[in-house]
Amino acid sequence: MASATSAASSLSLLPSSRRHASSSLRLPLSLRLPRTHFVQSLSLHVAAGAARIVSGRAQRGSMRVVAMAKKSVSDLTSAELEGKRVFVRADLNVPLDENQNITDDTRIRAAVPTIKYLISNGAKVILSSHLGRPKGVTPKFSLSPLVPRLSELLGIKVEKADDCVGPEVEKLVSALPNGSVLLLENVRFYKEEEKNEPEFAKKLASLADLYVNDAFGTAHRAHASTEGVTKFLKPSVAGFLLQKELDYLVGAVSSPKRPFAAIVGGSKVSSKIGVIESLLEKCDILLLGGGMIFTFYKAQGLSVGSSLVEEDKLDLATSLMAKAKEKGVSLLLPTDVVVADKFAADAESKIVPASAIPDGWMGLDIGPDSIKTFNDALETTKTVIWNGPMGVFEFDQFATGTEAVAKKLAELSGKGVTTIIGGGDSVAAVEKVGVANVMSHISTGGGASLELLEGKELPGVNALDEASVSVALARIVILVRDHFLQEEKIYICKRNYHCFVIY
Ligand SMILES: Nc1ncnc2c1ncn2[C@@H]1O[C@H](COP(=O)(O)OP(=O)(O)O)[C@@H](O)[C@H]1O
Ligand SMILES: O=C(OP(=O)(O)O)[C@H](O)COP(=O)(O)O
């Protein structure tokens, strides 16, 4: 357990401008702390109701965390919810087959806890979502196919409106009994949604008394139903799913149990630069796979045959490798690859060292030696975050590397390692291997999780009400307590305590 002295010494890493000499934070006796800069800094920022600065020392050095406590649905009492019309923005953007059958209901299941909480407290839930990217009213993007599954999961008959604004919808809303759910039609049938037009947001907001955003998958979009409505509905709070996603994706990455490994794959360096750069600041081990590795090989002077290469990113790859070295991060590139004579499921394939990719052949997966090296490296870790497949896993013969990572993470989860999966394809791979349920956290947002990992702020989260000073203070007491209980690791993953690492 960390001593107060060691905690204080970590706090001295704060810049002098943050070391204010004031403390108004009163803690229970058992938690009373020496007048460290840490506590002083916390109290000042909470009192100001602004972004709050806390500090923790990770094993690899210092980091500063701006923590923002957002008001949560669980902060609302029964009295505040009973009989109230609650506009709930969820991300029910689920895949449908050609017969309009739901092929993966993960996002519907993930939305259930918040809706159940609201209806069990007597609220009238007005449920809103988008589906796909329709241009105007498009029947195949209707939310109607979701009604049976929603009703089944909620245990009540969910009503469905044919529109999301207008007199017909208003009539349905006014007829809602307490504890019921009305699903609005696809909010993207109006172009005003994505344009975040205030008049449209106002119309949506006029249906309800308060707002809950639980649409993590869409929280990176500043749309009328995710951001605009918050200007017209008070309170505007976070739902349970949104909270959980932030707790894992930001909390665990800001203050991970170490060693902390990140596995980044996928097709292109360009789509993952932000994530790689951001993770280099935080992780101890970085494993790279997927199509992007060939740009790194070429940057090192190796020949890559006809593998995917981004010629204009060679310098960037070199600088990322240099940065890893400078930061003391062990960056592991695969040592062998599975190459194919063409980009096809039935291609001829063979395993070759990464340094010996023949002309005319393209790398489509990581090889067995690399899997072993990656597994050995992962064996040492306490937290692993994974974004992007190791190969073209859509073709069975090039899915081995991706499936091996999924299996290894499942095994590590069973040993208490925190495993976090973000990104549509990685999640699909984990589902395919059948190990999704053992992972610590599977994100429901591909783009949103990437933006969070890149350190960007999400408009859908920013727009929500800040928790009250008393709630924030109560959470800081927990935070400070855990600071000492958790071996000097500031444990941010507390109920709706959201943090953003800044450098
Ligand atoms: N070696 C490779 N060559 C070409 N494409 C690859 C390679 N490895 C992986 N990919 C492709 O990368 C795609 C996923 O990339 P990306 O969208 O960045 O991942 P995610 O959706 O997990 O964020 C997959 O369609 C996969 O086929
Ligand atoms: O599926 C979604 O994003 P994702 O594919 O990045 O996880 C969300 O529903 C957001 O959809 P959008 O990218 O059309 O805004």
Side-chain angles (χ1 to χ4, degrees):
M1 192 176 293
S3 67
T5 319
S6 64
S9 67
S10 77
L11 298 163
S12 65
L13 296 165
L14 276 171
S16 58
S17 60
R18 302 227 184 273
R19 295 185 216 141
H20 310 285
S22 159
S23 176
S24 59
L25 183 65
R26 302 299 303 165
L27 297 166
L29 198 59
S30 59
L31 297 172
R32 208 161 285 166
L33 308 168
R35 287 170 60 85
T36 62
H37 300 306
F38 166 64
V39 176
Q40 291 156 9
S41 156
L42 277 175
S43 61
L44 271 182
H45 286 268
V46 169
R52 285 163 282 281
I53 311 287
V54 297
S55 165
R57 186 180 59 185
Q59 285 168 9
R60 291 187 47 243
S62 68
M63 68 180 170
R64 289 181 290 133
V65 178
V66 178
M68 295 200 302
K70 290 294 179 188
K71 194 163 182 177
S72 151
V73 69
S74 59
D75 295 328
L76 303 175
T77 61
S78 273
E80 287 172 291
L81 292 171
E82 175 87 32
K84 291 284 168 45
R85 299 166 303 160
V86 184
F87 190 100
V88 178
R89 175 55 157 103
D91 186 332
L92 305 177
N93 184 22
V94 292
L96 300 172
D97 66 16
E98 63 281 6
N99 298 316
Q100 299 285 92
N101 296 312
I102 300 162
T103 54
D104 176 8
D105 68 356
T106 306
R107 281 177 167 167
I108 305 181
R109 285 186 283 110
V112 164
T114 294
I115 304 170
K116 273 198 168 163
Y117 178 81
L118 291 167
I119 57 178
S120 67
N121 280 288
K124 302 167 182 182
V125 171
I126 301 156
L127 184 59
S128 168
S129 177
H130 73 283
L131 183 87
R133 294 177 175 174
K135 299 272 168 272
V137 178
T138 319
K140 76 166 182 169
F141 291 121
S142 167
L143 290 176
S144 295
L146 279 60
V147 173
R149 186 67 181 131
L150 253 178
S151 301
E152 188 184 352
L153 288 166
L154 292 170
I156 59 167
K157 186 173 180 302
V158 170
E159 296 298 331
K160 160 84 183 11
D162 292 334
D163 207 336
C164 63
V165 287
E168 284 306 310
V169 179
E170 283 160 23
K171 220 186 281 176
L172 288 169
V173 169
S174 60
L176 283 177
N178 290 2
S180 60
V181 178
L182 174 70
L183 176 65
L184 303 182
E185 187 48 284
N186 192 337
V187 72
R188 285 193 186 169
F189 282 177
Y190 288 83
K191 62 179 183 337
E192 294 88 339
E193 159 69 358
E194 289 172 77
K195 289 185 174 162
N196 197 4
E197 285 192 5
E199 275 312 306
F200 181 67
K202 201 172 173 180
K203 277 188 202 161
L204 290 172
S206 71
L207 298 171
D209 302 305
L210 53 111
Y211 176 70
V212 175
N213 189 353
D214 212 20
F216 175 73
T218 326
H220 56 318
R221 311 285 183 216
H223 291 173
S225 66
T226 60
E227 202 267 348
V229 286
T230 63
K231 309 244 178 7
F232 306 100
L233 283 172
K234 290 287 165 239
S236 290
V237 305
F240 293 121
L241 173 65
L242 189 68
Q243 264 178 238
K244 184 175 168 229
E245 292 270 13
L246 294 168
D247 286 348
Y248 268 99
L249 290 165
V250 184
V253 172
S254 303
S255 188
K257 288 180 281 172
R258 291 179 184 275
F260 169 33
I263 310 168
V264 182
S267 49
K268 293 179 180 165
V269 185
S270 51
S271 60
K272 300 284 165 90
I273 303 166
V275 173
I276 295 174
E277 283 191 324
S278 173
L279 288 171
L280 278 176
E281 302 285 352
K282 296 160 202 150
C283 68
D284 306 295
I285 304 167
L286 178 62
L287 310 179
L288 295 184
M292 73 171 77
I293 56 177
F294 304 100
T295 304
F296 284 86
Y297 293 150
K298 186 149 187 192
Q300 289 173 302
L302 300 178
S303 37
V304 295
S306 52
S307 306
L308 186 70
V309 168
E310 289 174 275
E311 295 288 344
D312 60 336
K313 295 290 178 290
L314 294 174
D315 288 346
L316 177 76
T318 306
S319 75
L320 288 173
M321 288 186 280
K323 190 170 178 185
K325 204 167 178 189
E326 179 196 316
K327 298 270 172 196
V329 175
S330 67
L331 190 158
L332 300 184
L333 281 163
T335 48
D336 58 348
V337 289
V338 182
V339 292
D341 61 348
K342 59 181 176 192
F343 189 87
D346 63 350
E348 194 181 319
S349 69
K350 58 186 177 184
I351 296 156
V352 298
S355 55
I357 299 174
D359 283 350
W361 290 70
M362 61 182 76
L364 295 185
D365 196 8
I366 62 173
D369 287 347
S370 312
I371 292 172
K372 184 168 182 330
T373 311
F374 281 17
N375 282 349
D376 290 347
L378 291 170
E379 195 61 50
T380 65
T381 60
K382 295 262 172 28
T383 305
V384 185
I385 187 150
W386 179 24
N387 186 295
M390 297 292 98
V392 183
F393 77 108
E394 296 92 335
F395 300 153
D396 282 349
Q397 67 164 327
F398 307 112
T400 311
T402 304
E403 291 179 8
V405 168
K407 284 178 190 151
K408 186 66 190 175
L409 295 196
E411 178 199 319
L412 293 174
S413 304
K415 294 180 185 167
V417 175
T418 303
T419 51
I420 301 166
I421 323 295
D425 286 320
S426 331
V427 174
V430 165
E431 297 276 359
K432 189 176 164 201
V433 176
V435 291
N437 58 340
V438 301
M439 303 298 181
S440 309
H441 183 67
I442 302 261
S443 179
T444 55
S449 65
L450 270 182
E451 292 205 11
L452 259 190
L453 293 178
E454 284 174 40
K456 292 182 183 164
E457 293 188 6
L458 305 181
V461 176
N462 278 357
L464 300 176
D465 297 351
E466 295 277 305
S468 66
V469 169
S470 58
V471 170
L473 276 175
R475 285 176 197 146
I476 281 171
V477 170
I478 294 169
L479 188 73
V480 172
R481 182 199 63 194
D482 289 351
H483 179 78
F484 287 91
L485 294 181
Q486 300 285 326
E487 291 184 327
E488 218 184 304
K489 290 183 190 86
I490 295 183
Y491 195 61
I492 309 288
C493 301
K494 284 292 160 197
R495 200 160 67 89
N496 63 8
Y497 215 104
H498 306 148
C499 323
F500 300 88
V501 174
I502 56 169
Y503 291 95

